[in-house]
Amino acid sequence: MDITKEKPNRTLLVLKYLWDNSDIDHPATIKDIAAYLEGFGYNATRKTISKDIDELIEIGIDIDCKREEHNLYFLDVRVFELAEVKLLVDAVQSSRFIPTKKSKALIEKLSTFVGPHQSSILKRQLYVDKRIKASNEGIFYLVDNIHTAIREKKRITFQYQEYNQNKEKVLKHQGQVYSLSPYALVWNDDCYYVLGYSDSHEKVVKFRVDRMIDMRISEMTAVRKPKDFDVSDYFSQIFSMYDGNDCHVTLLCENELMKHIIDRFGEKVFTAPADDKHFEVETTVSLSQTFYEWVFSFGGKMKITAPQQAIDGFARILEKFK
């Protein structure tokens, strides 16, 4: 050890040792702490270490002591409980929009919020996830920049990627640069989307964040959000139904489908009993192939009863299956 170098603060070293090595099931003795301090040039006594621990307790550090033949010390309360961190780890692992490399890095960081011996439980989960993950490693910075643009009411510009028939990434519309006034970020179906007014589309649209590249915050002020724009309404009416013409529709559903209606449109959607086995739904959706395919997926247990244009649109989709 370089004796000319100034020693770290002893009290902080005691805290670091307890943070890195102790929990309720693995308490530390004064002897353990003293051996650790020796590595930093301290010949600490039981009295000085006890004094350091008392000082840490006085400033609010939750250090507990098991009174036995030798007092056993441990850090009692951490930022998160193990169950809470497990929940966060599960969310990170299951999120498709977080690339594999970044998932591993995040879980490593999350493991520091629990006891050192508990963190091994999280590390054992580190490589079990085999879900398809996004490949855009810069997505965190994209999300952060979009939040900044929303806060500062600025437009963003970017190019958009898609795949060709050879599974190669290519720029959409020959590399068109999109200009968007972002209003909100939405996490849906395990993907991150930004919602906002598109200059080229001349309406509110959505883009998948992991498919955006070369995103920049423009100096141009964002287009003001429409007064009647509501993220929740947009989500229930259009999101995951892709772009189409908005239409107020009536659906006739078998009773067992109520949970699917609630999942899609929320509890505030208008419903009314039709008979003992059916109920009606009235809501606004975007008439598109995806909406019709969603109705079709219930195998005849859901029917569109109004308006006629929606009924005709569904019939055209059915023709494709013949």
Side-chain angles (χ1 to χ4, degrees):
M1 183 176 179
D2 184 359
I3 59 175
T4 64
K5 188 176 181 180
E6 187 177 350
K7 293 180 182 179
N9 181 277
R10 189 188 68 228
T11 305
L12 292 179
L13 286 173
V14 172
L15 175 58
K16 177 172 173 53
Y17 180 82
L18 292 174
W19 179 273
D20 290 342
N21 298 278
S22 74
D23 56 42
I24 191 170
D25 297 316
H26 303 84
T29 65
I30 293 290
K31 184 177 180 180
D32 294 330
I33 299 172
Y36 174 73
L37 293 175
E38 282 182 12
F40 294 90
Y42 285 106
N43 185 20
T45 65
R46 179 181 298 275
K47 184 176 181 180
T48 58
I49 293 175
S50 296
K51 180 175 178 293
D52 290 334
I53 291 174
D54 288 340
E55 289 180 355
L56 290 170
I57 293 173
E58 285 178 10
I59 64 172
I61 306 300
D62 199 349
I63 299 173
D64 208 342
C65 177
K66 290 183 178 180
R67 306 291 178 180
E68 297 184 3
E69 182 180 353
H70 300 287
N71 287 345
L72 302 173
Y73 298 92
F74 60 93
L75 207 60
D76 193 20
V77 176
R78 293 178 178 267
V79 179
F80 295 105
E81 296 179 6
L82 178 60
E84 294 171 328
V85 176
K86 280 183 175 180
L87 185 65
L88 294 173
V89 167
D90 288 344
V92 170
Q93 285 183 323
S94 63
S95 297
R96 291 182 58 188
F97 82 90
I98 304 178
T100 301
K101 183 178 178 181
K102 185 61 72 172
S103 291
K104 294 176 181 179
L106 277 174
I107 293 170
E108 289 284 2
K109 291 177 181 179
L110 285 170
S111 68
T112 65
F113 286 107
V114 298
H117 303 280
Q118 295 174 327
S119 66
S120 61
I121 298 173
L122 304 179
K123 290 177 181 177
R124 282 199 296 270
Q125 298 178 13
L126 198 58
Y127 302 102
V128 302
D129 181 29
K130 295 184 179 179
R131 296 194 61 187
I132 298 171
K133 290 278 196 174
S135 58
N136 189 345
E137 293 288 345
I139 190 167
F140 286 160
Y141 307 105
L142 287 170
V143 169
D144 186 56
N145 285 335
I146 293 171
H147 276 301
T148 299
I150 293 173
R151 184 176 65 253
E152 296 181 356
K153 295 180 171 57
K154 297 291 186 180
R155 301 184 198 192
I156 59 173
T157 61
F158 56 92
Q159 293 175 299
Y160 205 60
Q161 294 182 124
E162 56 186 0
Y163 288 91
N164 64 17
Q165 68 272 28
N166 298 317
K167 290 193 294 187
E168 299 169 333
K169 289 181 180 179
V170 295
L171 294 176
K172 191 171 183 178
H173 297 318
Q174 291 77 48
Q176 174 184 341
V177 177
Y178 293 86
S179 176
L180 185 80
S181 299
Y183 298 149
L185 280 158
V186 176
W187 186 358
N188 180 65
D189 285 343
D190 229 357
C191 292
Y192 237 142
Y193 293 86
V194 57
L195 312 182
Y197 182 86
S198 167
D199 291 345
S200 57
H201 293 84
E202 298 184 340
K203 63 178 180 177
V204 176
V205 297
K206 67 182 185 297
F207 290 94
R208 262 182 59 168
V209 175
D210 61 303
R211 293 180 179 170
M212 299 165 63
I213 64 169
D214 197 23
M215 198 279 284
R216 302 182 185 188
I217 300 176
S218 170
E219 291 300 319
M220 295 182 65
T221 302
V223 175
R224 187 185 297 272
K225 186 190 303 182
K227 290 184 179 180
D228 60 349
F229 176 79
D230 182 87
V231 174
S232 297
D233 289 343
Y234 186 93
F235 180 89
S236 62
Q237 294 172 10
I238 301 175
F239 215 93
S240 294
M241 294 301 184
Y242 300 104
D243 290 340
N245 296 320
D246 289 357
C247 182
H248 193 78
V249 299
T250 303
L251 306 173
L252 181 66
C253 307
E254 293 187 10
N255 290 339
E256 65 183 82
L257 298 188
M258 181 61 80
K259 58 181 179 292
H260 297 286
I261 294 297
I262 299 300
D263 286 345
R264 172 58 62 186
F265 302 110
E267 293 185 355
K268 293 183 179 180
V269 65
F270 176 82
T271 63
D275 55 42
D276 291 342
K277 297 182 179 180
H278 300 84
F279 64 94
E280 284 190 333
V281 180
E282 289 187 19
T283 187
T284 301
V285 300
S286 177
L287 290 184
S288 65
Q289 180 168 323
T290 306
F291 166 67
Y292 294 131
E293 289 174 351
W294 178 70
V295 174
F296 180 79
S297 69
F298 295 107
K301 295 181 179 181
M302 178 187 297
K303 296 179 180 179
I304 303 171
T305 58
Q308 192 60 46
Q309 69 174 108
I311 297 171
D312 294 342
F314 186 64
R316 287 193 294 271
I317 295 295
L318 292 179
E319 283 294 322
K320 296 180 180 181
F321 289 91
K322 294 182 178 180

